[in-house]
Amino acid sequence: MDEPRTPASALERHDPALVLLTVEEAARRLRIGRTTCFRLVLAGEIESVTVGRLRRIPADAVPAYVAKLRHRPAEAA
């Protein structure tokens, strides 16, 4: 009997061994859109690295970005 397959997003969420994330995976963790995440990467707000022709975000850069947001002074509305 075949075992039920686990979606890739569920594996990613529970795999602490992941060191580098795609922009899409980082966006999913932050609950933001892919385009917004790319903008943050291009602006230097979220650390990223290139591996060959690929753009990857270190897994520890996601909580670092959130910590940076939490310590940023509140902007006037």
Side-chain angles (χ1 to χ4, degrees):
M1 184 178 260
D2 291 335
E3 292 184 25
R5 293 185 178 221
T6 306
S9 61
L11 287 175
E12 178 260 320
R13 213 175 21 240
H14 294 95
D15 189 357
L18 289 178
V19 177
L20 295 175
L21 307 171
T22 64
V23 174
E24 291 82 2
E25 290 168 338
R28 213 171 15 251
R29 286 186 180 194
L30 290 167
R31 304 282 198 257
I32 61 175
R34 176 182 168 273
T35 303
T36 301
C37 195
F38 268 110
R39 283 190 194 130
L40 291 169
V41 166
L42 291 174
E45 291 285 321
I46 297 178
E47 178 190 359
S48 68
V49 297
T50 53
V51 180
R53 295 176 60 194
L54 304 173
R55 174 69 53 186
R56 294 293 182 255
I57 297 175
D60 61 349
V62 174
Y65 171 69
V66 173
K68 188 167 43 169
L69 288 177
R70 294 180 75 181
H71 292 94
R72 193 179 281 177
E75 296 177 11

